[in-house]
Amino acid sequence: MTAAKAPSDRTRARRMHEKAAYERATIDAILDAMPVAHVGYVKDGAPVVIPTLQWRIGDQIYWHGSTASRTQRSASDAQVCVTVTLTDAMVLARSGLEHSVNFRSVMVFGTARALTDPAEKAEALRMMMEQMFPGRWEQLRPMTAQELKATAILTLPLTEASAKIGTGMPTDPPEDLATPVWAGILPIQLTMGQPIADPSLAPEITVPDHVKNYRFGG
């Protein structure tokens, strides 16, 4: 898919290398389209993978949790792998072996760093909210010092990141094309439902545009 060079040996695709993409524009687009990520690290000799929300600011990705979280404490200053995946279609072939999925994914490797400066933490949280729901941050009740203290934010540079993208129809071998079974792709689309107001919400408060227009997975 790309002639760009992998930024490191562990980001280089070894299988299906034709699906690899190393350009930052491609990597950024996938990260920006899907906030749900999985963070993997090793604790006490065993692998641990947690789901979380990630967001990108320039050349860094961020994720947050409670300062009391064992996961956040264990991942700080540790080697981690953050994975983001968009599933675009199921690929149905004429044999079980050739069934596949169309997808866009990113893997980011590196040493996670915990933000310690309160101003840096507050700005990172503001950016997360503004990227998802533009204009909402200024409408919210201001964050308290205790809330900020209780929130742990980890960050990882995008210096070791790579993407992998699968597209297209099934790749059945020629001898299977006459097999009388349906083959093709089953597209997957992420759609947002109608907003449901909190029952305690005052009736005069209407749904803001940043809620009506929110989308991800594009």
Side-chain angles (χ1 to χ4, degrees), residues 26-169:
T26 300
I27 291 167
D28 289 354
I30 296 171
L31 293 174
D32 295 348
M34 173 49 70
V36 179
H38 289 80
V39 181
Y41 63 98
V42 175
K43 178 175 173 56
D44 299 329
V48 178
V49 179
I50 60 162
T52 187
L53 292 180
Q54 64 81 27
W55 67 101
R56 182 182 66 86
I57 306 175
D59 295 330
Q60 301 275 139
I61 58 170
Y62 297 77
W63 63 98
H64 75 292
S66 169
T67 54
S69 167
R70 179 181 61 178
T71 295
Q72 294 293 90
R73 295 197 305 268
S74 298
S76 179
D77 297 320
Q79 285 287 308
V80 301
C81 175
V82 179
T83 303
V84 172
T85 304
L86 288 154
T87 306
D88 295 321
M90 302 303 294
V91 182
L92 284 70
R94 294 166 178 83
S95 69
L97 179 65
E98 296 296 339
H99 278 63
S100 184
V101 61
N102 287 343
F103 67 96
R104 291 165 284 158
S105 67
V106 165
M107 295 181 71
V108 187
F109 296 91
T111 302
R113 175 178 69 90
L115 303 189
T116 56
D117 179 68
E120 187 181 14
K121 289 173 64 177
E123 177 60 13
L125 292 171
R126 186 190 73 82
M127 289 294 293
M128 175 189 69
M129 188 66 65
E130 284 301 296
Q131 287 179 17
M132 291 193 296
F133 306 109
R136 186 170 181 82
W137 184 259
E138 294 302 322
Q139 299 176 4
L140 300 176
R141 187 258 299 155
M143 184 168 48
T144 68
Q146 182 56 40
E147 288 172 336
L148 190 59
K149 183 179 179 180
T151 303
I153 302 175
L154 298 181
T155 184
L156 192 64
L158 292 172
T159 50
E160 280 193 274
S162 63
K164 212 168 187 180
I165 300 173
T167 60
M169 289 290 173

